Amino acid sequence: MEAASAPLPELASVPWRSPEDAASLRRRGHLWTFFTFVHVVPFLGAAAGLVLLNPLAGPVAFVALVHAWIIPELYAFRGASVARPKGPRHGDAEDVAQGFLGDLLGHHARELQRETGLAMERGKLGVWLVGEAGALLVSGRRVHCFCIRATGAELPPSDRVAHLLLALRTDEIGFATVANHAFAGAPWRVRRRLDARMRPALDEALQTSVRPVPQPSISV
Amino acid sequence: MGRLIRMDSTGHSALAAWTAVDEAAYDAAVEAFRRELDEGYIAVVSEGEGHATQVRELPKDAELVIMRRPIAGG
């Protein structure tokens, strides 16, 4: 994927946002780690303290442990939800749209999209998985979850994916800037909250993210 | 041959087709192209896997020009 010659026109609708790049994504990742830490540690500390002070407080300590577990889980659930299928299926139109989306993808990405519903695209920020109303970005050791959609509920699902894919290919930085960042965390946290059929796409994106970027061959 | 298509509720609709030597067909395609831009669509030239470029004028030599809707944060 190459840098865009022109920025996405949709950036005009979010003039207050600064462009999302690798450094800002790293900052977001660190912030999410920090907030997870401050949500979990006080509850763990409270649970341990209660049991040490009085073992009869065990049930209350258990509730504190549940809180320490459930808050990060809810955030991860929110992140993984961006990839879930949304909206009406539009049966007949979907067949046409699926064929068109397949034409935009390479052989491997096409098969993966048909099996998982997510279109994989390698960009400069990392490896993207584009769904109907959101995208996951595998970047470094984190998965970033973005809420983003094509306007128009009457579009068939594969057309929604194609809209997002074309916008991503046009301007990756602009795409990440227009999208709402929903979550960043370790891949295993997102994976366990994804639909089972989507998990192979995340596995594939993780493998692709650590492979060297293929260079175009030069004929002599 | 160039094709202008719009992604819409039918999956996609073919709006126009033209060749480099057929000026009339190209002019009709330009008209359709401008109409879609006025409707709020955004034109993208698909340049194969991983590549796409946004355009404001219909390129005569493009094989496939796709009209897409704006996207927004969900």
Side-chain angles (χ1 to χ4, degrees):
Chain A
M1 198 159 50
E2 287 181 344
S5 53
L8 281 186
E10 290 92 334
L11 284 167
S13 62
V14 287
W16 61 88
R17 290 186 182 171
S18 49
E20 202 74 66
D21 57 15
S24 66
L25 285 173
R26 267 196 304 278
R27 278 196 301 277
R28 282 186 184 278
H30 291 149
L31 267 177
W32 273 100
T33 303
F34 172 74
F35 282 120
T36 303
F37 184 80
V38 299
H39 278 125
V40 169
V41 168
F43 284 113
L44 290 180
L50 283 167
V51 172
L52 285 174
L53 286 172
N54 186 349
L56 289 176
V60 182
F62 176 74
V63 171
L65 285 176
V66 169
H67 271 89
W69 172 79
I70 207 165
I71 292 173
E73 279 295 299
L74 286 173
Y75 280 126
F77 178 79
R78 176 182 166 218
S81 293
V82 305
R84 291 206 172 81
K86 293 180 180 79
R89 303 285 92 193
H90 299 288
D92 292 344
E94 171 57 9
D95 292 340
V96 179
Q98 175 73 85
F100 179 71
L101 175 60
D103 290 344
L104 294 177
L105 298 168
H107 176 71
H108 182 65
R110 184 186 310 138
E111 292 302 313
L112 190 69
Q113 194 277 327
R114 286 191 177 154
E115 286 167 16
T116 65
L118 299 173
M120 190 171 74
E121 184 79 13
R122 190 165 197 162
K124 289 191 171 146
L125 297 176
V127 179
W128 292 86
L129 292 169
V130 181
E132 294 173 24
L136 306 176
L137 170 65
V138 177
S139 179
R141 290 175 299 165
R142 290 191 177 88
V143 177
H144 295 265
C145 306
F146 293 91
C147 269
I148 188 160
R149 62 186 165 74
T151 53
E154 75 281 10
L155 292 171
S158 293
D159 248 9
R160 291 177 225 149
V161 177
H163 271 81
L164 298 183
L165 188 67
L166 284 170
L168 172 63
R169 286 178 175 179
T170 305
D171 177 9
E172 183 181 13
I173 299 285
F175 181 86
T177 305
V178 170
N180 291 340
H181 192 279
F183 176 73
W188 65 267
R189 293 181 64 196
V190 176
R191 189 182 186 281
R192 64 203 294 251
R193 286 294 174 187
L194 276 179
D195 289 352
R197 83 169 183 126
M198 292 179 168
R199 289 176 194 159
L202 182 57
D203 296 340
E204 183 72 29
L206 287 165
Q207 287 171 18
T208 304
S209 71
V210 295
R211 282 188 211 127
V213 178
Q215 299 295 320
S217 58
I218 301 168
S219 56
V220 180
Chain B
M1 189 176 92
R3 287 187 303 143
L4 177 67
I5 68 164
R6 179 184 62 206
M7 292 196 286
D8 56 24
S9 59
T10 65
H12 68 260
S13 302
L15 302 175
W18 69 94
T19 60
V21 293
D22 188 346
E23 284 296 327
Y26 177 69
D27 290 345
V30 168
E31 203 167 301
F33 177 82
R34 289 187 180 145
R35 207 165 41 238
E36 297 302 316
L37 287 184
D38 290 344
E39 291 287 319
Y41 279 84
I42 295 164
V44 178
V45 176
S46 178
E47 296 165 333
E49 202 180 333
H51 305 275
T53 305
Q54 184 194 316
V55 291
R56 297 282 306 164
E57 299 291 333
L58 185 68
K60 203 169 194 176
D61 57 346
E63 287 185 12
L64 181 62
V65 181
I66 303 163
M67 307 304 297
R68 70 166 178 87
R69 298 213 179 159
I71 58 170

